[in-house]
Amino acid sequence: GHGRKRYRVLYMFDAQNLFDDATSFVGEWGVDESLDALAKSDGIELIVVGIDHGDDKRISELRPWAHPRFGKGEGDLFLDFVVGTLKPFIDRNYRTRTASNDTGIAGSSLGGLMAHYAGVRHPGVFGRIGVFSPAYWIADEIFPATQTGKLKRGTRIYLVVGDKEGQTEADHRQTVANVRKMELVLQRSQGKRIALQTVIRAGASHSEPAWRREFPAAIRFLFGQPSKRE
């Protein structure tokens, strides 16, 4: 019966901003409302697990590598917690589908960088990757790591950036250029194995409302195809 149905899971960074205006300092994504609508319109049913950031720790948690200005990165430790502690807990306590093609990870800004990195570092765990306005500028190492990484065949990546991110025209151009560069790296190194959707969104800024608007399209691309076992 219905009580045995199992669900796909999306892990998302910066849980403070996902569901509730009260805990977010910048407005929320409206993930719960979006998913309710997608379940009705597309039959996409997901469990979303929001991962809180440690406030002042966020800038080290959500970076895999050290940075001259921001100090050491603790991204690997943070991911070890997600993969080694959080996911097994969720899988034990909820009716989840556990395979990589049923398991997504997503985030924006530093969380977008980390979602991307999680896919490269744990390709057997995360097969659906939502990368919103990634802070590639803070971690050049993500390019070679992606180049040499081996994403699992069938991995889907939604990579989106606004063309008005940052303060200046130069910022706008650089942010888009980084995403275009990553698109090339992914196509060259992983192109035959993965499905990549790159979106340069006209007029979109680096902001919660922009990501909120983008979220349904990302979810449709990442999870819209029924998984094999259904």
Side-chain angles (χ1 to χ4, degrees), residues 11-100:
Y11 291 86
M12 291 185 74
F13 293 111
D14 295 322
Q16 284 94 326
N17 303 347
L18 299 180
F19 308 109
D20 184 4
D21 268 333
T23 55
S24 162
F25 61 102
V26 279
E28 51 134 337
W29 286 48
V31 162
D32 35 3
E33 295 92 338
S34 279
L35 287 174
D36 287 345
L38 283 166
K40 290 193 187 77
S41 63
D42 297 50
I44 299 172
E45 296 183 307
L46 297 180
I47 293 172
V48 172
V49 179
I51 308 164
D52 279 351
H53 58 74
D55 291 321
D56 54 345
K57 295 274 195 313
R58 176 175 185 264
I59 197 146
S60 38
E61 283 173 355
L62 297 185
R63 255 184 323 113
W65 299 281
H67 184 279
R69 193 157 105 231
F70 302 106
K72 70 182 193 315
E74 294 169 6
D76 279 325
L77 284 173
F78 197 53
L79 264 190
D80 288 347
F81 158 74
V82 173
V83 170
T85 303
L86 180 60
K87 185 177 191 295
F89 174 85
I90 296 294
D91 289 337
R92 270 197 313 275
N93 289 285
Y94 297 89
R95 292 194 308 274
T96 59
R97 293 171 173 258
T98 58
S100 60

Side-chain angles (χ1 to χ4, degrees), residues 29-228:
W29 286 48
V31 162
D32 35 3
E33 295 92 338
S34 279
L35 287 174
D36 287 345
L38 283 166
K40 290 193 187 77
S41 63
D42 297 50
I44 299 172
E45 296 183 307
L46 297 180
I47 293 172
V48 172
V49 179
I51 308 164
D52 279 351
H53 58 74
D55 291 321
D56 54 345
K57 295 274 195 313
R58 176 175 185 264
I59 197 146
S60 38
E61 283 173 355
L62 297 185
R63 255 184 323 113
W65 299 281
H67 184 279
R69 193 157 105 231
F70 302 106
K72 70 182 193 315
E74 294 169 6
D76 279 325
L77 284 173
F78 197 53
L79 264 190
D80 288 347
F81 158 74
V82 173
V83 170
T85 303
L86 180 60
K87 185 177 191 295
F89 174 85
I90 296 294
D91 289 337
R92 270 197 313 275
N93 289 285
Y94 297 89
R95 292 194 308 274
T96 59
R97 293 171 173 258
T98 58
S100 60
N101 66 344
D102 295 316
T103 307
I105 191 157
S108 60
S109 201
L110 282 169
L113 169 67
M114 275 304 285
H116 180 130
Y117 179 69
V120 171
R121 177 110 192 305
H122 297 282
V125 178
F126 304 108
R128 302 286 178 266
I129 303 159
V131 183
F132 297 79
S133 304
Y136 291 148
W137 64 272
I138 207 172
D140 275 340
E141 299 91 340
I142 194 68
F143 293 99
T146 302
Q147 182 78 48
T148 56
K150 270 282 174 276
L151 293 172
K152 210 169 159 184
R153 188 170 294 286
T155 296
R156 299 181 78 82
I157 301 176
Y158 191 92
L159 173 57
V160 60
V161 69
D163 69 1
K164 294 284 180 277
E165 300 201 16
Q167 304 303 309
T168 64
E169 280 298 319
D171 290 344
H172 302 336
R173 280 197 303 273
Q174 187 56 53
T175 308
V176 171
N178 278 345
V179 164
R180 286 288 183 214
K181 177 179 169 184
M182 184 57 82
E183 179 183 37
L184 274 178
V185 169
L186 281 164
Q187 284 168 345
R188 282 186 190 139
S189 61
Q190 320 284 342
K192 303 249 186 316
R193 314 150 65 87
I194 69 168
L196 171 66
Q197 171 106 15
T198 309
V199 178
I200 310 292
R201 188 63 73 199
S205 62
H206 192 84
S207 67
E208 250 68 21
W211 302 324
R212 179 178 187 147
R213 280 195 300 277
E214 211 57 52
F215 185 73
I219 294 301
R220 283 197 182 100
F221 178 77
L222 296 174
F223 290 101
Q225 289 66 16
S227 55
K228 296 289 182 281

